[in-house]
Amino acid sequence: METIWFLLWGLLWAIYFVLDGFDLGLGTISPFVTKSEEDKKVVYQAMGPFWDGNEVWLITAGGVTFAAFPKAYAVLFSALYSPLMFILFALIIRGVALEYRGKMEGRGWREAWDLCLFLGSLVPALLFGVAFANIFRGIPIDAEGVYRGTLFTLLNPYGLLGGLLFLCLFCYHGALWLGIKAGGELRSRAQKYARALWPPLLVLAVLFLVATWFSTNLYANYLENPALFIIPLLAVLGLLATRWFLQAGAMWKAWACNAVVVAGATLFGVVGLYPNLLPSSLSPAASLTVTNAASSPLTLKIMLGVALVMVPIVLAYQVWVYYYFRHQVKPEDLAYDEGY
Amino acid sequence: MLSRLQFAAATFFHFLFVPLTLGLSILLAIMETRWAVSGNQEFKRMARFWGKIFVINFALGVVTGITLEFQFGTNWARYSAYVGDIFGSLLAIEATIAFFLESTFIGVWIFTWNRLSPRAHAFVMWLIAAATNISAYWILSANAWMQHPVGYVLRNGRAELDDFLAIITQRFAVVEFMHTVSGAYIVAGFVVMGVSAYHLLKKREVEFFTRSFRMALIFALIFSLFEVVQGHLNGGEVAKAQPSKLAAMESHWKTQKRAPIYLFAMPRPDGGGNLIEILPIPGALSLLAFHDPNAEVKGLNDFKPEDRPPVLLTFGAFKIMVGLGFLFVLLTVWGLFVRNRLTDNPRYLRFMLLAIPLPYIAIEAGWMVAEVGRQPWLVWGLMRTAQGVSPVDAHQVAVSFIAFIVFYGLLGITAFWLMARYAKRGPEPLAAA
């Protein structure tokens, strides 16, 4: 039961990163890829109908951590207090920017909201990477679950590498999404950005896989059970395939392959962690595992029932929303005040 | 202490936006249904105008809600580890059942005014309205569990789930939910009435705003009346489950039968009795709390000082809430009499314009009664607030607290300024809608 929840937990984070990853990435590259007010409106409309629903996957991932592994939720979130506060503030200004920009005419206001969108996207993309890399690596928590490090403990080379990888991955993901949603010149510019982002992404991915060998214990599970290597392998294949489709101009396929990369990267780490949720770098005995951090069997059972019914329903209506808004954002959409 | 203040600030702020969402979503759904059924474009204009204010408000409700969900872990780690088995699962279920629904479909709603049929567009708003209200139920049942824990066993050094149904169907939760959402509907009704009054005073779009006003009036009237009856039920639950809170709400010190309510009372700021108490109504407190004028009501003197909530705050907030509650009944009943000639009653309209902040004050005061009155307990009888905080460096909390205040202050000003601007501008002409 705990193992099922552990996998579900990993899956929720993976879905969150796949979906909100493109929002965060697109927000980050938007000041560079847009040349005119018209372009900016397309970028905002490309995220408009989706970002809110995407963000709820984060809430759910957080909520499930709380419900299924309360102790891990408590220790993890208080240990990562400062980075989490930065992420929260950033997500707030991003959400507000997305909703308010179109409602204010002044140029100064619009520029301010554009800056909010940029920072509100860049900071979470980077910090989620730093946070997850640190989880993979283990953080200094003692047997009482008290964090014995500082903010700078988290900014170690491996953590920073993780942050850069996430940032680059999401920017690439966002550029592909813009390639789907935009038309004309903006579309070709988005594709140009995607092509430019791919080589550094490949380098970072390889570096990260190598550094993981030296900095973490993630590979232990894989060596013990080589069949699991399918997960990183799929991610790597996805990374190669996405470049192929990008060249061919098949943007949906390129995006889907990169979604496999994002999900594969997340699950690669999560599966490697098992049975730990939060390894302690001080002593293995202080690590939080799926057994010592889990909720009672009854709670896990009820939650599983809810999840098995609700998650497919949520996925179904979200797929409908993506299908419904699959079209390119046309100039006439912008002229007409459809999205208020 | 800082964690407490920070959490209070974050909740206070979240709760500035949520009530309007709860109520206005229903009003919007009704407007859209009338548009879909009658085909009258005037209702579409109405939904679009009030919808704009709704969206501005909704955005802040969502983003501040995320903060709260994470603050349990960042600031209340010990609490989270202790109650996560129960409390965490309620929050997680809320996210999967309700939060997804509202957040996904608000995006659809905003972008499909012309793409979906009026019927489908109205249906989307009903989905959002249902989801926000279902969401409120889960959140409030989690809060009710902190006020009156049931369905748990103490095992492995924490509270573990024992009876799920008992938790989500307990009377305390149902009553608390009804009380809170009715308050929220009153907020929405008064906002719509107040903004309409502003335009009616200027004789602009008279038909449009008379229609809006009357719709909101009926809504607010029903729930103001209901709230009085229901508030009484709520008080009964508190009397049974949380006697020290009840005593603090009335600043009632001496345990006695035929306990009175004083028309004027003022607790001493340092505790330990009342500064003023005049004009007693004998037996009123006993009657209201236990439906028996001779019932014994336990006074604060019989609780150890460390087990008493802050009396002045609880008492003051309670009196403000109750006073305003009766004022809302008065204002809406008055409205009933002048509803057909609103523009001839500028005095009433001015009152209603000025009344916009009042239900906000009432609902925040009610929240203070519930949460401050729960002190010193975090989970009633199980965990004290001081035991629940995170082992986090105080400087970090201080910095984030200041950041919260500044940041939320700016956001709040922007949001209310923007809502006011759109409210003042009035509806779009028909051609654009």
Side-chain angles (χ1 to χ4, degrees):
Chain A
M1 193 61 123
E2 289 88 357
T3 306
I4 296 175
W5 268 107
F6 180 77
L7 289 175
L8 257 171
W9 174 81
L11 196 63
L12 286 173
W13 279 108
I15 297 177
Y16 171 66
F17 288 137
V18 167
L19 293 180
D20 212 21
F22 78 74
D23 293 328
L24 295 173
L26 186 48
T28 309
I29 61 169
S30 75
F32 312 106
V33 77
T34 54
K35 291 263 187 275
S36 63
E37 176 64 21
E38 192 113 303
D39 288 354
K40 292 208 170 101
K41 283 189 175 159
V42 174
V43 166
Y44 276 81
Q45 290 247 359
M47 292 185 268
F50 312 110
W51 73 271
D52 201 350
N54 293 345
E55 201 168 85
V56 184
W57 288 99
L58 171 66
I59 317 255
T60 308
V64 158
T65 317
F66 196 175
F69 305 105
K71 199 163 171 216
Y73 170 83
V75 172
L76 180 63
F77 285 31
S78 56
L80 303 179
Y81 190 90
S82 297
L84 255 172
M85 287 295 157
F86 278 115
I87 289 178
L88 287 177
F89 283 131
L91 289 176
I92 290 174
I93 58 171
R94 173 185 75 134
V96 175
L98 280 163
E99 293 297 328
Y100 286 9
R101 182 185 191 273
K103 297 185 181 61
M104 294 189 169
E105 288 87 8
R107 224 184 121 198
W109 271 113
R110 298 213 150 166
E111 279 169 7
W113 288 126
D114 289 339
L115 182 67
C116 285
L117 178 73
F118 171 66
L119 288 176
S121 304
L122 170 81
V123 170
L126 187 71
L127 289 185
F128 275 126
V130 173
F132 269 81
N134 273 292
I135 294 171
F136 298 159
R137 182 171 169 269
I139 58 174
I141 44 168
D142 65 18
E144 301 292 303
V146 177
Y147 179 62
R148 298 287 175 207
T150 66
L151 182 54
F152 299 100
T153 321
L154 302 173
L155 298 178
N156 52 71
Y158 182 72
L160 289 173
L161 181 61
L164 285 178
L165 174 67
F166 265 50
L167 183 60
C168 191
L169 185 57
F170 288 171
C171 286
Y172 178 72
H173 207 40
L176 293 179
W177 184 255
L178 188 60
I180 292 173
K181 294 295 284 184
E185 207 189 316
L186 184 59
R187 177 186 158 97
S188 18
R189 221 177 302 133
Q191 288 168 325
K192 202 179 87 197
Y193 267 79
R195 281 195 294 272
L197 280 164
W198 191 81
L201 177 59
L202 183 69
V203 171
L204 282 168
V206 171
L207 271 178
F208 189 77
L209 285 171
V210 174
T212 300
W213 179 269
F214 294 103
S215 298
T216 74
N217 280 325
L218 293 190
Y219 283 108
N221 280 345
Y222 292 91
L223 293 175
E224 203 172 295
N225 196 347
L228 289 176
F229 270 111
I230 186 93
I231 297 170
L233 192 67
L234 273 177
V236 172
L237 286 178
L239 191 55
L240 299 174
T242 179
R243 184 67 183 84
W244 169 269
F245 286 120
L246 174 62
Q247 199 62 37
M251 297 311 291
W252 274 107
K253 287 180 184 155
W255 185 84
C257 287
N258 197 52
V260 173
V261 180
V262 177
T266 315
L267 292 175
F268 160 68
V270 169
V271 168
L273 271 179
Y274 186 84
N276 285 322
L277 273 163
L278 187 58
S280 164
S281 58
L282 297 178
S283 92
S287 296
L288 294 176
T289 67
V290 294
T291 35
N292 73 15
S295 278
S296 67
L298 180 62
T299 295
L300 292 180
K301 205 170 82 188
I302 290 174
M303 291 290 302
L304 188 63
V306 173
L308 287 181
V309 175
M310 289 314 297
V311 171
I313 293 178
V314 171
L315 280 173
Y317 62 64
Q318 288 209 339
V319 166
W320 175 80
V321 170
Y322 275 87
Y323 179 75
Y324 192 78
F325 288 104
R326 67 194 179 282
H327 54 273
Q328 281 187 357
V329 180
K330 298 263 169 44
E332 53 266 30
D333 293 335
L334 299 178
Y336 181 72
D337 196 16
E338 176 88 61
Y340 277 152
Chain B
M1 192 61 208
L2 276 171
S3 281
R4 208 184 285 192
L5 279 176
Q6 177 169 318
F7 199 81
T11 317
F12 173 87
F13 195 71
H14 180 58
F15 206 45
L16 272 179
F17 299 98
V18 170
L20 185 60
T21 301
L22 287 172
L24 197 51
S25 61
I26 295 179
L27 284 172
L28 280 171
I30 296 172
M31 289 171 194
E32 287 220 53
T33 309
R34 293 176 74 175
W35 168 37
V37 171
S38 69
N40 185 349
Q41 293 290 317
E42 196 64 10
F43 286 114
K44 182 180 182 184
R45 274 179 83 215
M46 265 168 87
R48 273 183 74 89
F49 171 70
W50 297 108
K52 217 163 235 173
I53 294 170
F54 177 78
V55 170
I56 299 169
N57 179 70
F58 188 90
L60 274 200
V62 170
V63 292
T64 53
I66 301 173
T67 319
L68 282 180
E69 175 126 3
F70 286 89
Q71 275 204 342
F72 291 111
T74 51
N75 294 62
W76 301 98
R78 297 214 163 96
Y79 164 76
S80 302
Y82 187 70
V83 303
D85 204 64
I86 293 165
F87 192 87
S89 56
L90 295 176
L91 292 194
I93 292 173
E94 184 267 340
T96 46
I97 290 183
F99 207 164
F100 265 125
L101 197 60
E102 56 178 320
S103 298
T104 307
F105 282 99
I106 189 84
V108 174
W109 188 79
I110 292 175
F111 287 92
T112 52
W113 282 97
N114 293 323
R115 209 167 267 148
L116 285 174
S117 70
R119 217 171 270 266
H121 202 255
F123 176 68
V124 169
M125 189 31 96
W126 278 114
L127 278 181
I128 296 168
T132 54
N133 283 277
I134 293 169
S135 161
Y137 188 79
W138 287 99
I139 297 300
L140 290 171
S141 67
N143 182 274
W145 188 82
M146 297 166 77
Q147 308 279 355
H148 184 230
V150 292
Y152 67 94
V153 281
L154 294 179
R155 204 189 292 142
N156 304 323
R158 61 181 183 181
E160 290 195 354
L161 185 65
D162 183 46
D163 184 350
F164 186 67
L165 278 181
I167 293 172
I168 59 168
T169 59
Q170 71 154 320
R171 206 177 134 81
F172 202 102
V174 176
V175 172
E176 185 179 336
F177 169 74
M178 290 199 298
H179 192 64
T180 311
V181 292
S182 303
Y185 298 163
I186 297 172
V187 169
F190 271 75
V191 167
V192 172
M193 285 192 287
V195 172
S196 301
Y198 172 84
H199 290 281
L200 289 173
L201 277 168
K202 304 203 159 192
K203 305 254 193 287
R204 274 201 309 237
E205 294 270 1
V206 171
E207 202 193 332
F208 180 97
F209 284 109
T210 305
R211 204 173 243 169
S212 302
F213 191 104
R214 286 168 57 168
M215 201 163 152
L217 174 69
I218 298 167
F219 194 64
L221 174 70
I222 294 171
F223 288 103
S224 299
L225 289 172
F226 178 72
E227 193 73 324
V228 172
V229 182
Q230 203 284 330
H232 167 67
L233 283 180
N234 208 15
E237 284 304 303
V238 170
K240 270 188 284 177
Q242 302 175 309
S244 60
K245 185 195 268 184
L246 180 82
M249 278 154 60
E250 291 292 353
S251 192
H252 170 67
W253 293 87
K254 216 177 81 202
T255 302
Q256 54 180 292
K257 291 183 175 159
R258 279 185 79 76
I261 286 180
Y262 295 95
L263 286 185
F264 292 98
M266 180 72 198
R268 265 211 290 266
D270 56 348
N274 281 342
L275 214 54
I276 318 169
E277 39 184 47
I278 43 178
L279 296 178
I281 308 174
L285 182 54
S286 299
L287 181 67
L288 282 177
F290 298 105
H291 302 136
D292 171 7
N294 292 314
E296 183 178 89
V297 181
K298 208 169 164 191
L300 285 164
N301 287 335
D302 282 353
F303 296 96
K304 279 183 256 154
E306 67 267 26
D307 289 343
R308 293 177 199 158
V311 178
L312 189 61
L313 213 52
T314 314
F315 171 81
F318 178 66
K319 293 291 162 177
I320 288 172
M321 176 184 76
V322 172
L324 287 173
F326 281 106
L327 182 65
F328 301 148
V329 174
L330 206 72
L331 286 173
T332 46
V333 170
W334 184 4
L336 200 58
F337 288 105
V338 298
R339 69 185 189 283
N340 290 326
R341 41 197 167 82
L342 284 168
T343 42
D344 302 336
N345 288 280
R347 194 189 315 166
Y348 176 66
L349 292 176
R350 262 194 296 275
F351 265 123
M352 293 312 286
L353 174 60
L354 294 176
I356 293 178
L358 298 182
Y360 282 101
I361 296 173
I363 205 163
E364 294 284 357
W367 165 73
M368 273 174 69
V369 174
E371 303 300 283
V372 175
R374 194 190 62 222
Q375 307 303 325
W377 299 105
L378 185 50
V379 184
W380 195 267
L382 291 182
M383 182 181 231
R384 283 174 190 266
T385 308
Q387 298 167 323
V389 296
S390 294
V392 175
D393 179 32
H395 297 301
Q396 264 185 337
V397 182
V399 171
S400 71
F401 177 60
I402 293 166
F404 259 107
I405 297 293
V406 173
F407 192 65
Y408 272 14
L410 288 174
L411 273 181
I413 291 167
T414 314
F416 279 109
W417 171 77
L418 196 57
M419 279 193 265
R421 210 172 65 134
Y422 272 96
K424 279 195 215 160
R425 188 182 287 175
E428 309 155 323
L430 197 57

